[in-house]
Amino acid sequence: MTEKPTIEAYEGPAGGWGSAKSVARHVFEQGAQRIAPHLHQQNKPEGFACVSCAWAKPAEPHPLEFCENGLKATAWELGTPTIGAEFFAKHSATELRTWPDHDLEKAGRLTEPMRFDHATDRWMPVSWDEAFAQIGRDLQRVDPHRAVFYASGRASLETSYLYALFARMFGSNNLPDSSNMCHETTSVALPQSIGIPVGTVRLEDFSTTDLCMFFGQNTGSNSPRMLHQLEEVRKREIPVITFNPLRERGLERFTNPQNPLQMATGQEIEISTQYHQVEAGGDLAALTGLCKSVLALDDAAREGGSHRVLDVEFIARHTHGFEALESFLRGTAWSEIEAKSGLTRAAIEEAAFVYARASSVLAMYGMGLTQHRNGVATVHMLMNLLLMRGNIGRDGAGICPVRGHSNVQGQRTVGISEKPELVPLDRLAEQYAFEPPRWEGMSTVDVCRAVVDRRVEAFIGLGGNFLRAVPETGMMEESWPDIDLTVQIATKLNRTHLINGRSAWLLPCRGRIEIDEQASGPQAVTIEDSTACIHGSRGVAAPSRGNLLSEPRIVAGLAAATLPPNPKIDWDHVTQDYARIRDLIEATYPDQFERFNERMWTPGGFPRPLAARKREWNTDTGKANFLLPQNAGLTSHDLDLKDGDLRLITLRSNDQFNTTIYGYRDRFRGVEGTRMVLFISETDMRRFSLSEGQEVSLVSEAGDGIERVVAGLRVTRTNIPAGCVGGYYPECNPLMALAHFAKESKVPAAKSVPVSIRI
Ligand SMILES: Nc1nc2c(c(=O)[nH]1)N[C@H]1C(S)=C(S)[C@@H](COP(=O)(O)OP(=O)(O)OC[C@H]3O[C@@H](n4cnc5c(=O)[nH]c(N)nc54)[C@H](O)[C@@H]3O)O[C@H]1N2
Ligand SMILES: Nc1nc2c(c(=O)[nH]1)N[C@H]1C(S)=C(S)[C@@H](COP(=O)(O)OP(=O)(O)OC[C@H]3O[C@@H](n4cnc5c(=O)[nH]c(N)nc54)[C@H](O)[C@@H]3O)O[C@H]1N2
Ligand SMILES: [Mo]
């Protein structure tokens, strides 16, 4: 299956020839004929929105507005292999469970709706009518409190809106989505700080900013098109400061594969001008140190009679809580900041000095902040840093949570949320003449807990690989077969489809890149990017072989079969022409989606109105709030480790999209042919007497007496702070205890899993 693993330092830049080669290989392996003609239509105003990351798509796109990983995603969706009745007659679920994630998806696109036959341990083809009718009958027997409507962030605004409506008409607010494992920390923290749940940065801000800061976001692998903006920023000699335990290549240097001169000459652009290898979970302390330094610089300016460093006018007019922050900062000792961040005072002051001199600052962050116990407090502290100098609501400044899936932000915008207070329920009640449920639904970790406690009767999955993506995968797989009804809407086979409820269905859908022909003609859909701009996306490739339906049709089919007829919505009619769904969205959210159908093809997308961009604050105080950590500890993990324990960061490689494993080449980290590695510092190798290449196990140290082990990890010497180790997600997910999540947002704390090494 895999070649002999090799691990050696990668000397090249991000992008460059390595990226070009990697792309060519994926296009070739997946079937070049079907893919190549469509590459130039990726992220173009009239083309399709990439199915990989959520980064913004510019109004004036580059000739080829895509990246290595976007191409892999396109190739993976459009690849020619398919799997149908023959494949499933040959392979039982028990057998397929022994296949690695990579091989399962690589087998090809699903081709027909299927029902799982427990007697023969196999998926069996059924008709769509039969599937809808039986699922509808099964669902009607389920208590809405015990039904879960999960979504992974790729589905369009149209699909997502219908899906949320279906769940609520069924009587359930159990609408968790992948952002519960991802940027939910942002969605909780930012409304408290600045009154909106999303970032304020737009693409144009990169042309006027004076400083870019990165906290725990791996641009080169996970949002590589942002390297275009960073290239431009660096050409203007704007500094970039990074906080990350690992030296991520895409944040160090970059060669633009679309720039012939750079490619020919091997010219590299330095990205980060300062790189701070903070400890895993050390950002809350590091940010506290940054804020403390800014205060000290302001003290010095005041004493010296020079220009203030704090934006006193902004603080007075627009904020609340500065005095409390000030006394917190003055009362926090540098010794504590240094101990908890793993950085020296001098290093933090060096970053603060550049920050204090920049007039407009952009702060980007990702899972390195959100997937921690104190993630919410950390995002608050980052916001505090920006607010101190009024770095919000003006050009070139703002906060930029870099989102994951291509429409994960949009799903929340159109009602996929377990939190009823975030959804305009009264308006829905009026629009569709029904009484929506008002109770608080389950988040992803709540669902996991409920599955383990046998409190879930039905699980519908709109995309995703739930059982691989969540924590506590061992216990989850054990409990899952006790669910009465499991339905998965998917493009490709994954492990979640091999562990099934009593009545189990697998419904294959078309992908966004494929032409979607309905009664009124070919359809387009819309998505929202990380900068809150809404884009149209039109399928361009012939649909994959087989008996596939589009996602809106599948959701409509399920809804029509399950719900009593409602004169206010004709599920079949609205999915004959998706413009009708957009009209419904506009009727529910008139401020956000004004003239939706007309504006959806605006080049660069049309921006949603965001109050904080105008310095209007929809918070409890009517101001932007400076907020302090609620508990005394200054770390993002707040779990004390026993001597000898380590903090495990679970990581994405450059050859995967979440649980979709494209291959075994993590080029930037020099790992090839395996994913079973343990990234560890030289210091810890000596401390535990380990040698390079040795195989060890990791044991979870969650302190609850449950034994969780991942074996067969190759010791790999890495430039990472002592005390922290790294391993790949999802291979390391069995180590994550369900109870170990961000306190206020319930995002699993995947970046600080307490572990020990067993030899
Ligand atoms: N190609 C590709 N693109 C993707 C994805 C993919 O899997 N593949 N996934 C998509 C999804 S759903 C998401 S959510 C995003 C995820 O994109 P990112 O937010 O970049 O998430 P990760 O790669 O999990 O980790 C980000 C970085 O956090 C650093 N880190 C870990 N712990 C800490 C810490 O305590 N402090 C700091 N400062 N840094 C830390 C890690 O070293 C890593 O560089 O990407 C999206 N885009
Ligand atoms: N340890 C650890 N765990 C993590 C993370 C981490 O950093 N560390 N990250 C978390 C994060 S941020 C996220 S977002 C989750 C996500 O984790 P996943 O659940 O893996 O997310 P997806 O990439 O959506 O799921 C992949 C599956 O979606 C299906 N699919 C692909 N395209 C489509 C489509 O167009 N329509 C439909 N219906 N299905 C499709 C395919 O069947 C594919 O197998 O994992 C989380 N889990
Ligand atoms: Mo994500």
Side-chain angles (χ1 to χ4, degrees), residues 52-53 69 182 215-218 221-222 243-246 248 278-283 366-369 371-372 403-405 649-652 656-658 751:
S52 190
C53 82
N69 284 330
C182 187
F215 295 87
Q217 201 271 333
N218 188 11
S221 286
N222 297 332
F243 288 82
N244 197 313
L246 284 164
E248 299 289 22
V278 63
E279 261 175 33
D283 301 82
M367 300 302 99
L369 294 199
Q371 294 177 333
H372 278 293
R403 299 275 166 169
H405 283 84
I649 303 174
T650 56
L651 288 163
R652 292 166 164 76
Q656 74 185 86
F657 189 87
N658 299 333
K751 297 293 186 261

mmCIF file of all heavy atoms in Angstrom, residues 52-53 69 182 215-218 221-222 243-246 248 278-283 366-369 371-372 403-405 649-652 656-658 751, ligand 1:
data_model
loop_
_atom_site.group_PDB
_atom_site.id
_atom_site.type_symbol
_atom_site.label_atom_id
_atom_site.label_comp_id
_atom_site.label_asym_id
_atom_site.label_seq_id
_atom_site.Cartn_x
_atom_site.Cartn_y
_atom_site.Cartn_z
ATOM 1 N N SER A 52 -12.214 23.234 -1.681
ATOM 2 C CA SER A 52 -11.252 23.047 -0.592
ATOM 3 C C SER A 52 -11.468 24.111 0.479
ATOM 4 O O SER A 52 -12.471 24.083 1.178
ATOM 5 C CB SER A 52 -9.835 23.069 -1.154
ATOM 6 O OG SER A 52 -8.889 22.664 -0.195
ATOM 7 N N CYS A 53 -10.618 25.096 0.588
ATOM 8 C CA CYS A 53 -10.712 25.987 1.749
ATOM 9 C C CYS A 53 -11.645 27.168 1.498
ATOM 10 O O CYS A 53 -12.179 27.364 0.417
ATOM 11 C CB CYS A 53 -9.332 26.474 2.164
ATOM 12 S SG CYS A 53 -8.697 27.872 1.223
ATOM 13 N N ASN A 69 -3.446 22.569 -3.213
ATOM 14 C CA ASN A 69 -4.427 21.768 -2.486
ATOM 15 C C ASN A 69 -5.839 21.916 -3.047
ATOM 16 O O ASN A 69 -6.636 20.989 -2.976
ATOM 17 C CB ASN A 69 -4.362 22.078 -0.995
ATOM 18 C CG ASN A 69 -3.147 21.401 -0.372
ATOM 19 O OD1 ASN A 69 -2.721 20.350 -0.850
ATOM 20 N ND2 ASN A 69 -2.577 22.001 0.638
ATOM 21 N N CYS A 182 -14.161 23.411 15.267
ATOM 22 C CA CYS A 182 -13.310 24.222 14.415
ATOM 23 C C CYS A 182 -13.328 25.674 14.901
ATOM 24 O O CYS A 182 -12.698 26.012 15.900
ATOM 25 C CB CYS A 182 -13.907 24.016 13.031
ATOM 26 S SG CYS A 182 -13.114 24.654 11.639
ATOM 27 N N PHE A 215 -1.460 33.592 14.125
ATOM 28 C CA PHE A 215 -1.474 32.783 15.340
ATOM 29 C C PHE A 215 -2.096 31.425 15.011
ATOM 30 O O PHE A 215 -3.296 31.341 14.734
ATOM 31 C CB PHE A 215 -2.312 33.452 16.435
ATOM 32 C CG PHE A 215 -1.731 34.759 16.905
ATOM 33 C CD1 PHE A 215 -2.036 35.935 16.241
ATOM 34 C CD2 PHE A 215 -0.882 34.809 18.003
ATOM 35 C CE1 PHE A 215 -1.505 37.145 16.667
ATOM 36 C CE2 PHE A 215 -0.348 36.007 18.431
ATOM 37 C CZ PHE A 215 -0.653 37.185 17.764
ATOM 38 N N GLY A 216 -1.289 30.373 14.992
ATOM 39 C CA GLY A 216 -1.844 29.020 14.858
ATOM 40 C C GLY A 216 -2.660 28.801 13.611
ATOM 41 O O GLY A 216 -3.771 28.261 13.682
ATOM 42 N N GLN A 217 -2.137 29.245 12.486
ATOM 43 C CA GLN A 217 -2.829 28.975 11.212
ATOM 44 C C GLN A 217 -1.752 28.614 10.203
ATOM 45 O O GLN A 217 -0.735 29.298 10.096
ATOM 46 C CB GLN A 217 -3.615 30.211 10.772
ATOM 47 C CG GLN A 217 -4.734 29.912 9.782
ATOM 48 C CD GLN A 217 -4.277 29.949 8.333
ATOM 49 O OE1 GLN A 217 -3.322 30.643 7.994
ATOM 50 N NE2 GLN A 217 -4.960 29.183 7.493
ATOM 51 N N ASN A 218 -1.982 27.522 9.472
ATOM 52 C CA ASN A 218 -0.953 27.002 8.569
ATOM 53 C C ASN A 218 -1.299 27.356 7.123
ATOM 54 O O ASN A 218 -1.826 26.537 6.368
ATOM 55 C CB ASN A 218 -0.848 25.483 8.784
ATOM 56 C CG ASN A 218 0.321 24.891 8.030
ATOM 57 O OD1 ASN A 218 1.180 25.617 7.505
ATOM 58 N ND2 ASN A 218 0.363 23.584 7.973
ATOM 59 N N SER A 221 -0.473 25.203 3.732
ATOM 60 C CA SER A 221 -1.220 23.983 3.457
ATOM 61 C C SER A 221 -2.727 24.209 3.440
ATOM 62 O O SER A 221 -3.434 23.614 2.643
ATOM 63 C CB SER A 221 -0.930 22.922 4.528
ATOM 64 O OG SER A 221 0.344 22.380 4.344
ATOM 65 N N ASN A 222 -3.225 25.057 4.316
ATOM 66 C CA ASN A 222 -4.670 25.073 4.557
ATOM 67 C C ASN A 222 -5.434 26.242 3.937
ATOM 68 O O ASN A 222 -6.660 26.203 3.850
ATOM 69 C CB ASN A 222 -4.945 25.010 6.058
ATOM 70 C CG ASN A 222 -4.431 23.712 6.658
ATOM 71 O OD1 ASN A 222 -4.355 22.704 5.963
ATOM 72 N ND2 ASN A 222 -4.069 23.731 7.906
ATOM 73 N N PHE A 243 3.251 33.351 15.267
ATOM 74 C CA PHE A 243 3.339 32.582 16.522
ATOM 75 C C PHE A 243 2.874 31.172 16.221
ATOM 76 O O PHE A 243 1.704 30.957 15.894
ATOM 77 C CB PHE A 243 2.460 33.209 17.609
ATOM 78 C CG PHE A 243 3.008 34.492 18.147
ATOM 79 C CD1 PHE A 243 2.800 35.676 17.472
ATOM 80 C CD2 PHE A 243 3.757 34.519 19.325
ATOM 81 C CE1 PHE A 243 3.320 36.874 17.948
ATOM 82 C CE2 PHE A 243 4.283 35.697 19.816
ATOM 83 C CZ PHE A 243 4.063 36.886 19.117
ATOM 84 N N ASN A 244 3.781 30.218 16.308
ATOM 85 C CA ASN A 244 3.441 28.835 15.990
ATOM 86 C C ASN A 244 4.530 27.929 16.581
ATOM 87 O O ASN A 244 5.702 28.218 16.416
ATOM 88 C CB ASN A 244 3.377 28.663 14.456
ATOM 89 C CG ASN A 244 2.646 27.397 14.045
ATOM 90 O OD1 ASN A 244 2.894 26.327 14.586
ATOM 91 N ND2 ASN A 244 1.749 27.528 13.083
ATOM 92 N N PRO A 245 4.146 26.853 17.260
ATOM 93 C CA PRO A 245 5.156 25.969 17.839
ATOM 94 C C PRO A 245 6.039 25.326 16.772
ATOM 95 O O PRO A 245 7.188 25.002 17.027
ATOM 96 C CB PRO A 245 4.342 24.891 18.570
ATOM 97 C CG PRO A 245 2.931 25.348 18.579
ATOM 98 C CD PRO A 245 2.767 26.421 17.557
ATOM 99 N N LEU A 246 5.449 25.117 15.584
ATOM 100 C CA LEU A 246 6.197 24.462 14.507
ATOM 101 C C LEU A 246 6.651 25.489 13.486
ATOM 102 O O LEU A 246 5.943 26.466 13.228
ATOM 103 C CB LEU A 246 5.300 23.444 13.800
ATOM 104 C CG LEU A 246 5.056 22.142 14.541
ATOM 105 C CD1 LEU A 246 3.868 21.419 13.929
ATOM 106 C CD2 LEU A 246 6.290 21.263 14.487
ATOM 107 N N GLU A 248 6.376 26.291 10.228
ATOM 108 C CA GLU A 248 5.600 25.877 9.054
ATOM 109 C C GLU A 248 6.179 26.538 7.806
ATOM 110 O O GLU A 248 6.304 27.750 7.732
ATOM 111 C CB GLU A 248 4.123 26.252 9.214
ATOM 112 C CG GLU A 248 3.414 25.596 10.405
ATOM 113 C CD GLU A 248 3.177 24.100 10.240
ATOM 114 O OE1 GLU A 248 3.872 23.445 9.448
ATOM 115 O OE2 GLU A 248 2.273 23.583 10.956
ATOM 116 N N VAL A 278 6.000 29.564 20.032
ATOM 117 C CA VAL A 278 5.257 29.529 21.287
ATOM 118 C C VAL A 278 4.968 28.069 21.655
ATOM 119 O O VAL A 278 4.908 27.208 20.778
ATOM 120 C CB VAL A 278 3.958 30.353 21.081
ATOM 121 C CG1 VAL A 278 3.074 29.722 20.015
ATOM 122 C CG2 VAL A 278 3.175 30.551 22.356
ATOM 123 N N GLU A 279 4.817 27.783 22.917
ATOM 124 C CA GLU A 279 4.429 26.432 23.323
ATOM 125 C C GLU A 279 2.979 26.165 22.947
ATOM 126 O O GLU A 279 2.183 27.100 22.915
ATOM 127 C CB GLU A 279 4.530 26.308 24.843
ATOM 128 C CG GLU A 279 5.801 25.659 25.268
ATOM 129 C CD GLU A 279 5.937 25.656 26.775
ATOM 130 O OE1 GLU A 279 4.913 25.553 27.483
ATOM 131 O OE2 GLU A 279 7.084 25.765 27.222
ATOM 132 N N ALA A 280 2.614 24.914 22.725
ATOM 133 C CA ALA A 280 1.206 24.595 22.481
ATOM 134 C C ALA A 280 0.384 25.116 23.654
ATOM 135 O O ALA A 280 0.683 24.811 24.806
ATOM 136 C CB ALA A 280 1.019 23.095 22.333
ATOM 137 N N GLY A 281 -0.594 25.919 23.364
ATOM 138 C CA GLY A 281 -1.432 26.469 24.431
ATOM 139 C C GLY A 281 -0.821 27.678 25.109
ATOM 140 O O GLY A 281 -1.381 28.201 26.078
ATOM 141 N N GLY A 282 0.297 28.167 24.603
ATOM 142 C CA GLY A 282 0.968 29.305 25.247
ATOM 143 C C GLY A 282 0.531 30.670 24.736
ATOM 144 O O GLY A 282 1.036 31.705 25.175
ATOM 145 N N ASP A 283 -0.418 30.694 23.812
ATOM 146 C CA ASP A 283 -0.778 31.974 23.178
ATOM 147 C C ASP A 283 -1.469 32.948 24.120
ATOM 148 O O ASP A 283 -1.302 34.156 23.992
ATOM 149 C CB ASP A 283 -1.696 31.724 21.974
ATOM 150 C CG ASP A 283 -1.027 30.847 20.957
ATOM 151 O OD1 ASP A 283 -1.063 29.609 21.149
ATOM 152 O OD2 ASP A 283 -0.443 31.362 20.006
ATOM 153 N N GLY A 366 -6.077 30.484 13.409
ATOM 154 C CA GLY A 366 -6.762 29.239 13.045
ATOM 155 C C GLY A 366 -6.855 28.307 14.237
ATOM 156 O O GLY A 366 -6.953 28.738 15.396
ATOM 157 N N MET A 367 -6.773 27.016 13.931
ATOM 158 C CA MET A 367 -7.023 25.975 14.934
ATOM 159 C C MET A 367 -6.021 26.023 16.092
ATOM 160 O O MET A 367 -6.292 25.506 17.163
ATOM 161 C CB MET A 367 -6.975 24.585 14.275
ATOM 162 C CG MET A 367 -7.996 24.353 13.162
ATOM 163 S SD MET A 367 -9.700 24.565 13.681
ATOM 164 C CE MET A 367 -10.066 26.204 13.126
ATOM 165 N N GLY A 368 -4.859 26.640 15.862
ATOM 166 C CA GLY A 368 -3.873 26.751 16.945
ATOM 167 C C GLY A 368 -4.394 27.587 18.110
ATOM 168 O O GLY A 368 -3.899 27.478 19.234
ATOM 169 N N LEU A 369 -5.390 28.431 17.878
ATOM 170 C CA LEU A 369 -6.027 29.159 18.988
ATOM 171 C C LEU A 369 -7.363 28.535 19.396
ATOM 172 O O LEU A 369 -7.707 28.508 20.567
ATOM 173 C CB LEU A 369 -6.287 30.631 18.629
ATOM 174 C CG LEU A 369 -5.106 31.570 18.389
ATOM 175 C CD1 LEU A 369 -5.552 33.024 18.512
ATOM 176 C CD2 LEU A 369 -3.945 31.306 19.321
ATOM 177 N N GLN A 371 -8.699 25.414 19.093
ATOM 178 C CA GLN A 371 -8.835 24.046 19.604
ATOM 179 C C GLN A 371 -8.072 23.866 20.912
ATOM 180 O O GLN A 371 -7.171 23.035 21.028
ATOM 181 C CB GLN A 371 -8.347 23.036 18.552
ATOM 182 C CG GLN A 371 -9.232 23.013 17.309
ATOM 183 C CD GLN A 371 -8.732 22.065 16.230
ATOM 184 O OE1 GLN A 371 -7.538 21.804 16.147
ATOM 185 N NE2 GLN A 371 -9.630 21.558 15.403
ATOM 186 N N HIS A 372 -8.386 24.695 21.875
ATOM 187 C CA HIS A 372 -7.768 24.631 23.197
ATOM 188 C C HIS A 372 -8.830 24.839 24.267
ATOM 189 O O HIS A 372 -9.836 25.502 24.023
ATOM 190 C CB HIS A 372 -6.719 25.739 23.358
ATOM 191 C CG HIS A 372 -5.393 25.410 22.758
ATOM 192 N ND1 HIS A 372 -4.590 24.414 23.247
ATOM 193 C CD2 HIS A 372 -4.722 25.967 21.723
ATOM 194 C CE1 HIS A 372 -3.468 24.366 22.525
ATOM 195 N NE2 HIS A 372 -3.525 25.295 21.586
ATOM 196 N N ARG A 403 -11.272 30.490 8.112
ATOM 197 C CA ARG A 403 -12.222 29.381 8.240
ATOM 198 C C ARG A 403 -11.752 28.139 7.512
ATOM 199 O O ARG A 403 -10.892 28.216 6.648
ATOM 200 C CB ARG A 403 -13.581 29.794 7.674
ATOM 201 C CG ARG A 403 -14.199 30.967 8.370
ATOM 202 C CD ARG A 403 -14.970 30.564 9.601
ATOM 203 N NE ARG A 403 -15.248 31.751 10.405
ATOM 204 C CZ ARG A 403 -16.083 31.779 11.436
ATOM 205 N NH1 ARG A 403 -16.715 30.705 11.808
ATOM 206 N NH2 ARG A 403 -16.265 32.888 12.115
ATOM 207 N N GLY A 404 -12.421 27.040 7.804
ATOM 208 C CA GLY A 404 -12.023 25.758 7.253
ATOM 209 C C GLY A 404 -12.663 25.440 5.932
ATOM 210 O O GLY A 404 -12.149 25.788 4.867
ATOM 211 N N HIS A 405 -13.823 24.805 5.953
ATOM 212 C CA HIS A 405 -14.509 24.406 4.723
ATOM 213 C C HIS A 405 -14.991 25.621 3.946
ATOM 214 O O HIS A 405 -15.283 26.668 4.504
ATOM 215 C CB HIS A 405 -15.769 23.607 5.058
ATOM 216 C CG HIS A 405 -15.535 22.201 5.462
ATOM 217 N ND1 HIS A 405 -15.214 21.854 6.731
ATOM 218 C CD2 HIS A 405 -15.613 21.056 4.762
ATOM 219 C CE1 HIS A 405 -15.113 20.536 6.808
ATOM 220 N NE2 HIS A 405 -15.344 20.030 5.625
ATOM 221 N N ILE A 649 -0.040 18.020 19.817
ATOM 222 C CA ILE A 649 -0.753 18.831 18.819
ATOM 223 C C ILE A 649 -1.166 17.877 17.705
ATOM 224 O O ILE A 649 -0.314 17.216 17.120
ATOM 225 C CB ILE A 649 0.192 19.890 18.208
ATOM 226 C CG1 ILE A 649 0.799 20.787 19.281
ATOM 227 C CG2 ILE A 649 -0.513 20.688 17.142
ATOM 228 C CD1 ILE A 649 1.848 21.752 18.716
ATOM 229 N N THR A 650 -2.457 17.793 17.389
ATOM 230 C CA THR A 650 -2.850 16.961 16.246
ATOM 231 C C THR A 650 -2.904 17.843 15.008
ATOM 232 O O THR A 650 -3.477 18.924 15.014
ATOM 233 C CB THR A 650 -4.207 16.269 16.480
ATOM 234 O OG1 THR A 650 -5.188 17.262 16.762
ATOM 235 C CG2 THR A 650 -4.136 15.284 17.628
ATOM 236 N N LEU A 651 -2.281 17.367 13.944
ATOM 237 C CA LEU A 651 -1.965 18.210 12.791
ATOM 238 C C LEU A 651 -2.523 17.686 11.487
ATOM 239 O O LEU A 651 -2.707 16.485 11.319
ATOM 240 C CB LEU A 651 -0.452 18.218 12.602
ATOM 241 C CG LEU A 651 0.370 18.984 13.616
ATOM 242 C CD1 LEU A 651 1.804 18.537 13.499
ATOM 243 C CD2 LEU A 651 0.232 20.474 13.359
ATOM 244 N N ARG A 652 -2.709 18.591 10.545
ATOM 245 C CA ARG A 652 -3.005 18.223 9.157
ATOM 246 C C ARG A 652 -1.697 18.153 8.373
ATOM 247 O O ARG A 652 -0.825 18.994 8.566
ATOM 248 C CB ARG A 652 -3.870 19.297 8.514
ATOM 249 C CG ARG A 652 -5.242 19.368 9.082
ATOM 250 C CD ARG A 652 -5.940 20.647 8.655
ATOM 251 N NE ARG A 652 -7.372 20.534 8.884
ATOM 252 C CZ ARG A 652 -7.952 20.636 10.089
ATOM 253 N NH1 ARG A 652 -7.248 20.892 11.155
ATOM 254 N NH2 ARG A 652 -9.262 20.497 10.212
ATOM 255 N N GLN A 656 -3.726 16.151 2.695
ATOM 256 C CA GLN A 656 -5.030 15.701 3.172
ATOM 257 C C GLN A 656 -5.988 16.879 3.181
ATOM 258 O O GLN A 656 -5.557 18.040 3.212
ATOM 259 C CB GLN A 656 -4.937 15.131 4.603
ATOM 260 C CG GLN A 656 -4.769 16.169 5.726
ATOM 261 C CD GLN A 656 -4.573 15.548 7.109
ATOM 262 O OE1 GLN A 656 -3.463 15.213 7.501
ATOM 263 N NE2 GLN A 656 -5.671 15.393 7.858
ATOM 264 N N PHE A 657 -7.291 16.598 3.092
ATOM 265 C CA PHE A 657 -8.300 17.592 3.456
ATOM 266 C C PHE A 657 -9.120 16.946 4.555
ATOM 267 O O PHE A 657 -9.928 16.052 4.312
ATOM 268 C CB PHE A 657 -9.184 18.004 2.274
ATOM 269 C CG PHE A 657 -10.071 19.176 2.632
ATOM 270 C CD1 PHE A 657 -9.614 20.472 2.487
ATOM 271 C CD2 PHE A 657 -11.332 18.982 3.177
ATOM 272 C CE1 PHE A 657 -10.396 21.562 2.867
ATOM 273 C CE2 PHE A 657 -12.118 20.062 3.565
ATOM 274 C CZ PHE A 657 -11.656 21.345 3.401
ATOM 275 N N ASN A 658 -8.874 17.375 5.766
ATOM 276 C CA ASN A 658 -9.493 16.747 6.930
ATOM 277 C C ASN A 658 -9.254 15.239 6.903
ATOM 278 O O ASN A 658 -8.119 14.818 6.742
ATOM 279 C CB ASN A 658 -10.977 17.121 7.030
ATOM 280 C CG ASN A 658 -11.127 18.629 7.186
ATOM 281 O OD1 ASN A 658 -10.225 19.274 7.693
ATOM 282 N ND2 ASN A 658 -12.232 19.178 6.756
ATOM 283 N N LYS A 751 -5.439 20.565 20.063
ATOM 284 C CA LYS A 751 -4.072 21.053 19.966
ATOM 285 C C LYS A 751 -3.326 20.951 21.289
ATOM 286 O O LYS A 751 -2.242 21.507 21.422
ATOM 287 C CB LYS A 751 -4.070 22.519 19.483
ATOM 288 C CG LYS A 751 -4.653 22.692 18.081
ATOM 289 C CD LYS A 751 -3.812 22.048 16.994
ATOM 290 C CE LYS A 751 -4.326 22.358 15.596
ATOM 291 N NZ LYS A 751 -5.146 21.248 15.043
HETATM 292 N N1 LIG B 1 -5.312 21.434 2.278
HETATM 293 C C1 LIG B 1 -6.137 21.534 3.313
HETATM 294 N N2 LIG B 1 -6.799 22.692 3.514
HETATM 295 C C2 LIG B 1 -7.648 22.778 4.568
HETATM 296 C C3 LIG B 1 -7.925 21.674 5.418
HETATM 297 C C4 LIG B 1 -7.170 20.489 5.213
HETATM 298 O O1 LIG B 1 -7.275 19.526 5.970
HETATM 299 N N3 LIG B 1 -6.316 20.450 4.140
HETATM 300 N N4 LIG B 1 -8.873 21.763 6.401
HETATM 301 C C5 LIG B 1 -9.788 22.888 6.346
HETATM 302 C C6 LIG B 1 -10.404 23.077 7.660
HETATM 303 S S1 LIG B 1 -11.886 22.320 7.996
HETATM 304 C C7 LIG B 1 -9.870 23.918 8.567
HETATM 305 S S2 LIG B 1 -10.631 24.169 10.053
HETATM 306 C C8 LIG B 1 -8.662 24.683 8.298
HETATM 307 C C9 LIG B 1 -7.610 24.396 9.346
HETATM 308 O O2 LIG B 1 -6.462 25.139 9.108
HETATM 309 P P1 LIG B 1 -5.529 25.585 10.319
HETATM 310 O O3 LIG B 1 -6.277 26.557 11.159
HETATM 311 O O4 LIG B 1 -4.251 26.007 9.718
HETATM 312 O O5 LIG B 1 -5.429 24.230 11.203
HETATM 313 P P2 LIG B 1 -4.330 23.116 11.554
HETATM 314 O O6 LIG B 1 -3.554 22.674 10.387
HETATM 315 O O7 LIG B 1 -5.043 22.076 12.308
HETATM 316 O O8 LIG B 1 -3.342 23.828 12.600
HETATM 317 C C10 LIG B 1 -2.912 25.117 12.409
HETATM 318 C C11 LIG B 1 -1.578 25.445 12.976
HETATM 319 O O9 LIG B 1 -1.671 25.614 14.384
HETATM 320 C C12 LIG B 1 -0.397 25.371 14.920
HETATM 321 N N5 LIG B 1 -0.574 25.200 16.368
HETATM 322 C C13 LIG B 1 -0.893 24.089 17.053
HETATM 323 N N6 LIG B 1 -1.022 24.373 18.358
HETATM 324 C C14 LIG B 1 -0.791 25.704 18.502
HETATM 325 C C15 LIG B 1 -0.793 26.603 19.609
HETATM 326 O O10 LIG B 1 -1.039 26.245 20.748
HETATM 327 N N7 LIG B 1 -0.519 27.911 19.337
HETATM 328 C C16 LIG B 1 -0.239 28.364 18.084
HETATM 329 N N8 LIG B 1 0.015 29.663 17.934
HETATM 330 N N9 LIG B 1 -0.218 27.533 17.031
HETATM 331 C C17 LIG B 1 -0.509 26.226 17.233
HETATM 332 C C18 LIG B 1 0.067 24.160 14.167
HETATM 333 O O11 LIG B 1 1.469 24.033 14.220
HETATM 334 C C19 LIG B 1 -0.443 24.477 12.750
HETATM 335 O O12 LIG B 1 0.536 25.138 12.009
HETATM 336 O O13 LIG B 1 -8.105 24.392 7.031
HETATM 337 C C20 LIG B 1 -9.032 24.157 5.980
HETATM 338 N N10 LIG B 1 -8.261 23.978 4.778
#
